[in-house]
Amino acid sequence: VVAYDAPGHGASAGSHSSLVIMGRALADVVASEGPFESVIAHSLGAAATSLAARLGAEFDRAVLVAPPSDVRTWFARFVSVFDLDDQEVASLATVIERRVGMP
């Protein structure tokens, strides 16, 4: 059994994280300690598990508890709370994409 704190969580370094950072971190853990028979993850960690698999992390099965169905839905909810206009939404999306290195 391997457990770890994602970047910006628990005892790990950093004060922030993202889906992409978490997915890359899990892919690194699997590369270092794996391949794994299975992964169990919750919420954003479940989405990060899917990304890690896309990045080449090897595991036979995954149990994903309450994963977000689509991060774009989360983003849409976020921008609606702040009542951002189309230009602000596009600017924010650009900043996020540059920061995490993925669309």
Side-chain angles (χ1 to χ4, degrees):
V1 173
V2 174
Y4 74 101
D5 287 328
H9 291 74
S12 69
S15 60
H16 72 279
S17 195
S18 72
L19 168 60
V20 174
I21 291 169
M22 290 171 64
R24 288 179 179 151
L26 177 57
D28 289 346
V29 169
V30 173
S32 172
E33 305 296 326
F36 293 158
E37 183 176 313
S38 57
V39 174
I40 301 170
H42 174 258
S43 190
L44 193 59
T49 299
S50 296
L51 178 58
R54 181 176 170 204
L55 296 173
E58 295 184 28
F59 44 87
D60 295 331
R61 326 173 166 75
V63 176
L64 306 179
V65 180
S69 60
D70 187 340
V71 294
R72 293 171 293 198
T73 301
W74 280 17
F75 183 73
R77 286 181 188 159
F78 176 84
V79 299
S80 71
V81 167
F82 293 99
D83 195 29
L84 302 179
D85 64 34
D86 290 345
Q87 183 178 356
E88 291 167 324
V89 171
S91 294
L92 179 59
T94 298
V95 168
I96 292 169
E97 289 172 356
R98 283 185 187 148
R99 180 175 225 180
V100 301
M102 294 183 83

